[in-house]
Amino acid sequence: MAVDELDTRILRLLLEQPRTSVREYARILGVARGTLQARLDRLERDGVITGTGPSLSAAALGHPVLAFVHIEVTQGRLDDVGDALAAVPEIVEAFSIAGGGDLLTRVVARDNAHLEDVIQTVISLPGVVRTRTEVALRERVAHRLLPLVESVGRAARN
């Protein structure tokens, strides 16, 4: 999907001012509200905008420990294990990967003992062969998309 300069400006505003109204976005951008709404609808339909909910902090919810758990799975059991992982609330993301292991999960926990309990839950799932855990010490670059949006916008202008 092609993202033009106006799309880039819209996305930047959504990221920088997520609680602003569509009317206010249109005023800031100097476009008609209908134009803005049509652009937002297209960006959602094309999968560029995937959600509008708030960003939540697992640490503020009492789960300050963050770990990445690599999971090796028995051949033919990837879907089963993926479905079982979805039932573990401390697993906040899971991805199929190429390389070392079959799945990579982002896990949050209250403390190290709780992390161990979560890992033991994962290890006990049918189809899980082994795990490897890496504990995050400090976030160095927070999840962000604005630099990518700006890069795409620059490329669209050229």
Side-chain angles (χ1 to χ4, degrees), residues 27-114:
R27 187 194 66 73
I28 291 168
L29 294 168
V31 299
R33 185 186 180 288
T35 299
L36 179 64
Q37 189 63 60
R39 292 292 185 114
L40 288 170
D41 292 344
R42 181 179 51 81
L43 290 167
E44 286 181 19
R45 189 175 52 254
D46 291 347
V48 175
I49 298 173
T50 59
T52 58
S55 296
L56 304 178
S57 166
L61 289 169
H63 290 67
V65 176
L66 171 63
F68 299 92
V69 179
H70 298 259
I71 304 170
E72 187 177 321
V73 177
T74 303
Q75 281 191 328
R77 300 294 306 268
L78 192 59
D79 289 338
D80 296 335
V81 172
D83 291 344
L85 293 174
V88 180
E90 295 86 359
I91 296 177
V92 296
E93 288 183 297
F95 301 91
S96 300
I97 59 170
D102 299 301
L103 292 165
L104 175 64
T105 63
R106 180 188 298 255
V107 178
V108 296
R110 293 184 302 271
D111 53 35
N112 287 345
H114 182 223

